Amino acid sequence: MAEHYLPARPDTVNWGKWDAALPPALTIKSGDRVVIDTLSGEPEDLPDFAATGFTPVPGHAEVMASIHRGPGPHLLTGPVFVEGAEPGDVLEVRMLDIKFRADWGWNIQLPFLGTLPEDFPELRRIHIPLDRERLIATMPWGQELPLEPFFGNFGVAPKPEWGRLSSTEPRVFGGNMDNKELGVGTTTYFPVFAPGALFSVGDGHGRQGDGEVCITAIEAALTGTFEFHVRKDMKLTTPRAEKPDEWITMGFDPDLDDAVKEALRDMIVLIRERSGLSAQDAYTLCSLCADLRVTQTVDGNKGIHCVLPKRFLPVR
């Protein structure tokens, strides 16, 4: 196992897009670990540093001044080319550590977007002090909230024939999943669609509720430590995740009902793979023990994640 560092620079960050044609920023072997810096915020999202006393994130201004603004808003660091990963394989991504790069985060409400656009038609942008020692965010109304960081947008490249896709929507290769369950200690499994898998990550969140209803979380620049493993023994069609005590399947669709069906069907497949239960028995087990949670309702493709505690999974 080797360890690598991938900084956020103009030659390592892509703005708002997923594309298998992007050149790798780093090449690693299966089993390697990578510390990856990320950035958060387009130019209009940044605070007035002189007025607020907040500290700029190193490299942020240089990246925004140097790279092309794509169809989505997210700054994604990568791609990481993992040797041996081929279409049809699975990339196992272990989330080992997350640290904050900034003493501030931001939250925005945008006209015509979010879960209640008819109720909140005005632009609102706030900047939130982050205490990186206490892991506390102080809201404008004085309330302190505990920070629980994770990356909202990460995954592998889409199929080459799909071309360039926006970073806004979550899809079968991952992307803007905005799943708060995927923090430190979680392993996420991605189906591989392009040689090398081409992993990228960004959209750091300091805290988010299920739904992310106003369109953003506490958006923040983070550094993540990841470990990558190529899995030739697994076959997937959509991302899954594993925590020490839970399995998580996910569904993404403009229709929330159809996202439910995707997440539930994959959980039934997972239960059958690991227990040998029939499909009907697995469906019953889901009804008794699995929880369907609304991941987010604001990213075009809405998200559902289905969570099954491992203690309820029968042993084959």
Side-chain angles (χ1 to χ4, degrees):
M1 181 187 72
E3 296 188 359
H4 309 264
Y5 170 55
L6 186 60
R9 303 183 310 225
D11 61 333
T12 65
V13 173
N14 294 289
W15 193 341
K17 58 184 178 289
W18 288 92
D19 191 340
L22 294 172
L26 177 69
T27 298
I28 67 170
K29 298 182 183 297
S30 180
D32 286 0
R33 292 183 178 181
V34 187
V35 176
I36 304 178
D37 286 341
T38 68
L39 302 170
S40 179
E42 299 182 285
E44 57 270 25
D45 299 318
L46 305 190
D48 182 332
F49 294 109
T52 61
F54 291 136
T55 304
V57 176
H60 200 164
E62 291 81 1
V63 164
M64 290 186 297
S66 303
I67 67 175
H68 177 264
R69 192 168 188 165
H74 307 94
L75 296 166
L76 301 173
T77 308
V80 176
F81 185 101
V82 186
E83 293 181 354
E86 297 292 341
D89 296 339
V90 166
L91 184 67
E92 174 184 320
V93 180
R94 301 179 186 176
M95 184 72 260
L96 303 181
D97 187 45
I98 298 176
K99 289 184 169 60
F100 286 87
R101 301 190 68 207
D103 56 4
W104 55 276
W106 57 280
N107 176 272
I108 194 171
Q109 298 173 21
L110 291 171
F112 312 114
L113 297 174
T115 309
L116 297 173
E118 62 277 11
D119 293 4
F120 299 93
E122 304 298 326
L123 169 67
R124 182 178 108 131
R125 183 182 287 107
I126 59 175
H127 295 99
I128 302 166
L130 305 181
D131 186 326
R132 290 178 283 181
E133 297 298 322
R134 298 170 59 222
L135 292 180
I136 291 293
T138 302
M139 304 307 294
W141 52 90
Q143 183 180 11
E144 291 188 341
L145 296 177
L147 292 169
E148 298 178 0
F150 70 98
F151 290 95
N153 203 324
F154 67 115
V156 297
K159 289 184 179 180
E161 57 265 34
W162 293 349
R164 179 165 296 180
L165 299 175
S166 171
S167 67
T168 300
E169 301 85 5
R171 301 181 188 274
V172 293
F173 54 84
N176 197 26
M177 299 177 289
D178 284 334
N179 190 331
K180 72 175 188 179
E181 303 290 341
L182 307 184
V184 173
T186 305
T187 299
T188 307
Y189 303 91
F190 296 98
V192 174
F193 297 102
L198 297 174
F199 175 89
S200 295
V201 60
D203 190 27
H205 289 178
R207 182 175 184 86
Q208 179 200 295
D210 283 336
E212 199 188 21
V213 294
C214 86
I215 202 173
T216 48
I218 296 179
E219 309 289 324
L222 303 177
T223 293
T225 301
F226 302 85
E227 186 175 299
F228 299 92
H229 296 267
V230 177
R231 297 292 299 269
K232 303 280 186 184
D233 60 328
M234 294 180 68
K235 299 295 177 185
L236 293 179
T237 58
T238 194
R240 288 180 186 170
E242 180 181 7
K243 300 175 80 170
D245 58 347
E246 294 174 332
W247 281 104
I248 302 169
T249 57
M250 292 173 270
F252 314 115
D253 195 273
D255 188 308
L256 205 56
D257 288 342
D258 288 335
V260 166
K261 292 178 180 180
E262 286 186 15
L264 184 56
R265 283 173 176 145
D266 197 41
M267 182 58 76
I268 290 170
V269 170
L270 185 153
I271 291 170
R272 297 195 68 198
E273 289 172 350
R274 295 185 170 273
S275 71
L277 290 183
S278 69
Q280 282 190 311
D281 287 344
Y283 189 28
T284 296
L285 184 63
C286 286
S287 196
L288 303 182
C289 299
D291 294 318
L292 288 169
R293 300 174 186 167
V294 178
T295 320
Q296 54 74 27
T297 58
V298 295
D299 293 329
N301 285 337
K302 298 178 176 66
I304 290 287
H305 54 286
C306 182
V307 181
L308 178 69
K310 288 182 176 179
R311 68 182 186 275
F312 295 128
L313 188 64
V315 178
R316 184 187 290 270

